[in-house]
Amino acid sequence: MTKVAAIIVNRNLPAETDAVVDSLLRHDADLVDAFVVESGSDDDRLSRHCTWHATDPEARAHGLRFCRGINFGLTKLLAEGRFLDYDAFLLMTNDCELGDHPVVAPLLDVLERHPRVGLLSPCSRRWGERALLESMPTRYLWYAHNAAMLVRRQFVESIMEIEAPDHMNFLYDGSNFRGYGSDLEITAKGYANDWATAITSRVMVEENERHLLDKASLIKTESYEENFRLYLEEGKLWMRRKYGFNSRWMMQVYAKMLYDDFFKNYPEYAEFRI
């Protein structure tokens, strides 16, 4: 049976994180193991599902954010000899709202039907992409949404750090602290290795932005507006430094070029192209 490791990143929001984990286990317990990464959380604000707690001074002061947090969890699975126990990984923020329905089972069914999809995002009722899925529930894209993603283990193995994996480099580039452009980077790496990124309406997952709007001080981060400003400012510097791109548009063009090449190599999947 296919087994999935769900990795959820928490920082001082135990009730919200527990709600995500409880929903997963209520509907998909036979398919998923849940792992919570505490991203420098206070000792009295840990999820009751806490698996690993990052407590180094940097994590305590600033948290891990999504990219470093996911890297942290995947590195722990590898170090504990559990990485190969799973066929896929469900990577999630703790502001996801899963609804009262299975999530893992339908996503796994999509992966089974699409053997070259390495990264799969559930759709949201609020996303414009939903209109693209009206005639076909699953389509291939050249970018991803980070709130919740199911990634195939073989996809991760094709792009992961193999020499010295840690929370800064396992899957994501941890130097991109707030994650601006990380969706484009991981998608481009996938297409460069013959793995497609897809979005599906078979599952709907919502992202509750009220957590950051209302609880920024509890999470120990900047206000929503300031965080967004730094997300753009720092992310653009990262993108320029690493790729020489001065805009997200150019990063999209790069990812789209690899996306187009994928269909030249795999014309049998052309019907799923946007």
Side-chain angles (χ1 to χ4, degrees):
M1 177 181 293
T2 299
K3 196 72 174 180
V4 173
I7 301 176
I8 303 98
V9 181
N10 176 52
R11 182 165 170 83
N12 283 345
L13 295 181
E16 292 80 356
T17 302
D18 290 341
V20 174
V21 176
D22 290 344
S23 180
L24 279 173
L25 297 180
R26 183 165 57 250
H27 296 289
D28 291 295
D30 59 331
L31 295 173
V32 67
D33 291 333
F35 301 92
V36 172
V37 173
E38 295 291 350
S39 173
S41 298
D42 297 339
D43 293 339
D44 61 349
R45 301 291 301 175
L46 303 181
S47 163
R48 56 185 163 80
H49 297 285
C50 170
T51 312
W52 307 293
H53 190 187
T55 57
D56 61 275
E58 177 73 12
R60 288 288 201 186
H62 304 291
L64 297 174
R65 301 292 174 114
F66 183 77
C67 294
R68 295 181 186 180
I70 294 302
N71 285 344
F72 187 92
L74 290 171
T75 303
K76 288 292 188 182
L77 287 178
L78 185 68
E80 294 171 6
R82 305 186 65 181
F83 181 78
L84 295 178
D85 293 345
Y86 300 99
D87 297 306
F89 305 95
L90 182 59
L91 314 179
M92 305 177 66
T93 58
N94 66 347
D95 59 358
C96 288
E97 295 184 345
L98 306 183
D100 192 23
H101 52 74
V103 170
V104 177
L107 290 178
L108 284 176
D109 184 62
V110 174
L111 278 195
E112 185 175 350
R113 295 169 183 267
H114 297 265
R116 292 313 311 175
V117 167
L119 189 158
L120 178 64
S121 290
C123 194
S124 165
R125 291 175 177 83
R126 296 181 294 170
W127 292 350
E129 290 89 346
R130 187 181 179 188
L132 300 173
L133 305 175
E134 290 181 350
S135 60
M136 184 178 293
T138 301
R139 291 290 189 95
Y140 298 1
L141 297 178
W142 56 92
Y143 59 91
H145 288 279
N146 283 345
M149 302 185 302
L150 186 68
V151 295
R152 199 185 297 266
R153 193 190 72 228
Q154 294 96 320
F155 163 73
V156 176
E157 290 171 330
S158 72
I159 66 172
M160 61 183 271
E161 168 65 24
I162 57 175
E163 293 185 345
D166 61 21
H167 72 287
M168 292 294 290
N169 62 20
F170 191 101
L171 180 63
Y172 289 99
D173 182 352
S175 68
N176 183 11
F177 180 57
R178 298 174 197 272
Y180 179 82
S182 62
D183 60 323
L184 292 168
E185 181 175 47
I186 193 173
T187 299
K189 287 182 176 181
Y191 280 112
N193 289 277
D194 297 323
W195 291 107
T197 288
I199 187 171
T200 186
S201 59
R202 290 278 306 277
V203 176
M204 294 288 182
V205 172
E206 308 304 323
E207 187 176 8
N208 189 344
E209 295 181 345
R210 298 305 311 180
H211 294 346
L212 185 55
L213 284 166
D214 299 338
K215 303 171 184 177
S217 60
L218 186 60
I219 302 172
K220 295 186 176 180
T221 188
E222 300 83 6
S223 67
Y224 183 90
E225 294 79 7
E226 177 65 5
N227 182 70
F228 188 71
R229 184 187 70 79
L230 292 171
Y231 169 74
L232 295 176
E233 181 180 292
E234 296 172 3
K236 288 178 179 178
L237 287 174
W238 165 83
M239 190 178 294
R240 179 187 174 100
R241 183 182 306 118
K242 186 169 184 179
Y243 290 97
F245 298 150
N246 286 293
S247 70
R248 182 179 173 88
W249 170 251
M250 287 307 302
M251 188 78 172
Q252 285 183 318
V253 170
Y254 168 64
K256 178 64 161 52
M257 176 186 69
L258 295 169
Y259 170 86
D260 291 336
D261 284 344
F262 174 85
F263 293 103
K264 295 176 184 177
N265 297 325
Y266 297 95
E268 63 269 31
Y269 299 116
E271 63 179 305
F272 303 108
R273 185 174 183 172
I274 297 297

